[in-house]
Amino acid sequence: MAFEQIRKVISGDGPGRETTLNYYRVGPNNAEKKVYLQAAMHADEQPGILVLHHLIKALRQADRDGTLQAQFVIFPMANPLGMANINHRQHQGRYDPVSGINHNRGWPDLFPIVQSEIGDTLTQDIEQNKRRIRDLVRNWLTEQPAISALQQQRHFIMREVFDADYVFDLHCDNDSLLHIFALPQHMPELQSLADWTGAAATLVAEDSGGGSFDEVWSTLWTRMRKAHPGVPLPDCYSVTMEYRGQFETFDEINEDDAERLFCYFQSRGLIQGLPSRKRAVSPPPSDLTATQVVRAKQPGLLAYKVALGDIVKKGQTIADLITIEGDDAFQIRTPIIANTDGLVLSRSINKYVWPTKSIAKIVGTETLEDRDKYLLED
Ligand SMILES: [Zn+2]
């Protein structure tokens, strides 16, 4: 049995800016599997904090009961720097105010780092290969500078996540149904995660283009496998989970989410015991290139014509945009239409929008021509 709270001090970029990163390690130290979970990397996305608050309690009890078969490392608030970014009575947690970096972009691409060092050292022993690759990542991490506050924060996180077998990065959308971002190679294994958690959609892409946190851990192994055919290599199942909308942070929702994650872990043998509920059936994965991100082309006020979960047809009006300047301002309504048949997965909480602002995501089944290499919303 082991339950440990760990505190890491991040020295600030300015006086009075020192902060602390808190996380937990639960479960046997000699466990074969490691599960890493974090929430609020985008610090303004907080439902995941409440999910992990409830999950920690359940894992601690499971640890007392001796049923944990994996070590769980949990960062309930992975971005204290972003949490502290309160200006003019508003919290803004998506971007680092010092560098302008999106907190969930620009994580290091590990594949070329490992590939350039690996030589001919891989064997037919999967455990040996796993250790060899992880040693290279660990060594590389040790050499990385951790000078600025953001570098220090990322460094502490990377040193805990790099040897995990499962990585769960808990985010939320603006106003949304629960959905998951994953690699296509990890389906159908991760269909079970979608089913257990009740996801409305699983959006898959091999590389969404932004160096997002979840992708760097999973694609290291899928790309190594591609570069070394015939060599046995493990997987790192790494996902971003979007726990609905920004303001859906409630015990009655998020405690249930924690129980569902717990059931998923039981179903994978990471925790002993039978799940307390039945596995639901979630839709099969959809390629991210088939999801339309509907954007505004001019400033205006939205009047939605659809609700979350609606199934729409191509050409259907998603919202009217009420013009707010020029001739006939506040009289003209311009329809914004769907470019695909599909599920309305997300909308905008803010009804005042401007050019390029995303107003909805529609999950379709056919690849859309305007979806290029950068697939993320921003
Ligand atoms: Zn996010």
Side-chain angles (χ1 to χ4, degrees):
M1 290 203 305
F3 181 89
E4 185 186 6
Q5 180 176 359
I6 301 159
R7 298 179 178 89
K8 299 287 186 187
V9 175
I10 299 169
S11 55
D13 289 329
R17 294 277 184 89
E18 185 177 285
T19 187
T20 308
L21 181 62
N22 280 280
Y23 62 99
Y24 291 90
R25 187 176 288 136
V26 196
N29 279 320
N30 59 354
E32 281 182 18
K33 298 284 182 191
K34 180 174 179 179
V35 180
Y36 175 94
L37 299 114
Q38 71 176 22
M41 173 56 68
H42 282 146
D44 52 346
E45 300 174 7
Q46 293 129 14
I49 298 178
L50 197 53
V51 175
L52 294 185
H53 159 77
H54 287 290
L55 187 66
I56 288 168
K57 188 178 162 195
L59 290 176
R60 190 171 194 181
Q61 184 57 48
D63 183 54
R64 288 193 197 100
D65 297 341
T67 58
L68 295 185
Q69 299 295 295
Q71 185 179 72
F72 291 78
V73 172
I74 305 153
F75 284 63
M77 192 182 82
N79 185 2
L81 294 174
M83 222 65 194
N85 188 14
I86 302 165
N87 288 300
H88 306 293
R89 304 175 72 178
Q90 296 284 334
H91 178 223
Q92 195 286 102
R94 192 172 183 83
Y95 297 90
D96 173 49
V98 179
S99 61
I101 291 172
N102 181 324
H103 282 292
N104 193 27
R105 304 287 180 267
W107 288 81
D109 185 358
L110 299 170
F111 170 70
I113 297 161
V114 172
Q115 178 66 2
S116 67
E117 295 284 326
I118 197 79
D120 58 358
T121 57
L122 294 174
T123 68
Q124 285 303 306
D125 183 334
I126 190 168
E127 286 301 317
Q128 212 172 44
N129 293 340
K130 183 167 76 175
R131 278 197 300 276
R132 171 80 181 127
I133 291 171
R134 285 179 177 173
D135 283 348
L136 288 175
V137 177
R138 182 190 288 109
N139 293 344
W140 177 81
L141 274 172
T142 307
E143 292 164 5
Q144 295 314 296
I147 298 163
S148 73
L150 183 63
Q151 284 173 337
Q152 293 170 59
Q153 181 171 277
R154 287 192 171 196
H155 204 256
F156 285 132
I157 289 169
M158 289 192 288
R159 288 187 67 83
E160 283 292 351
V161 69
F162 81 95
D163 58 353
D165 303 282
Y166 293 82
V167 176
F168 298 86
D169 189 11
L170 276 53
H171 288 245
C172 69
D173 206 308
N174 196 231
D175 181 21
S176 163
L177 305 174
L178 200 166
H179 57 287
I180 298 172
F181 289 98
L183 294 190
Q185 296 95 322
H186 289 169
M187 307 306 291
E189 164 61 28
L190 290 176
Q191 183 64 39
S192 61
L193 176 67
D195 290 349
W196 280 108
T197 56
T202 302
L203 306 177
V204 295
E206 258 189 71
D207 180 4
S208 53
S212 59
F213 182 81
D214 70 325
E215 285 184 356
V216 300
W217 311 111
S218 51
T219 59
L220 167 62
W221 301 95
T222 54
R223 290 160 76 192
M224 285 299 288
R225 185 173 293 124
K226 214 172 191 175
H228 301 272
V231 170
L233 291 167
D235 266 307
C236 171
Y237 294 110
S238 181
V239 291
T240 292
M241 302 196 61
E242 302 284 350
Y243 273 102
R244 309 181 188 83
Q246 245 172 331
F247 301 114
E248 288 178 279
T249 307
F250 297 102
D251 274 335
E252 52 270 36
I253 302 173
N254 303 132
E255 185 172 12
D256 182 63
D257 291 329
E259 285 174 20
R260 287 165 177 268
L261 273 178
F262 194 91
C263 289
Y264 168 72
F265 296 142
Q266 288 178 311
S267 79
R268 309 332 283 168
L270 300 165
I271 304 173
Q272 287 174 348
L274 291 174
S276 60
R277 55 182 75 208
K278 282 201 162 41
R279 176 174 167 171
V281 179
S282 280
S286 171
D287 199 292
L288 190 51
T289 58
T291 292
Q292 185 193 359
V293 180
V294 185
R295 296 183 188 276
K297 291 180 179 159
Q298 62 192 71
L301 193 72
L302 288 174
Y304 276 107
K305 299 292 181 188
V306 295
L308 295 178
D310 282 0
I311 304 294
V312 296
K313 288 277 177 202
K314 186 175 179 176
Q316 188 174 332
T317 300
I318 300 300
D320 281 342
L321 189 69
I322 296 163
T323 306
I324 56 173
E325 63 181 353
D327 292 342
D328 300 323
F330 311 106
Q331 299 184 73
I332 298 171
R333 299 172 72 109
T334 306
I336 301 176
I337 61 164
N339 271 349
T340 188
D341 296 351
L343 168 82
V344 178
L345 184 65
S346 71
R347 301 192 310 183
S348 173
I349 284 180
N350 300 306
K351 306 305 186 282
Y352 165 53
V353 295
W354 51 90
T356 74
K357 175 85 171 74
S358 161
I359 68 154
K361 279 201 281 296
I362 302 172
V363 180
T365 52
E366 289 176 16
T367 300
L368 298 164
E369 280 178 12
D370 63 342
R371 298 288 273 157
D372 54 17
K373 283 186 175 172
Y374 192 82
L375 296 170
L376 300 166
E377 203 170 321
D378 67 312

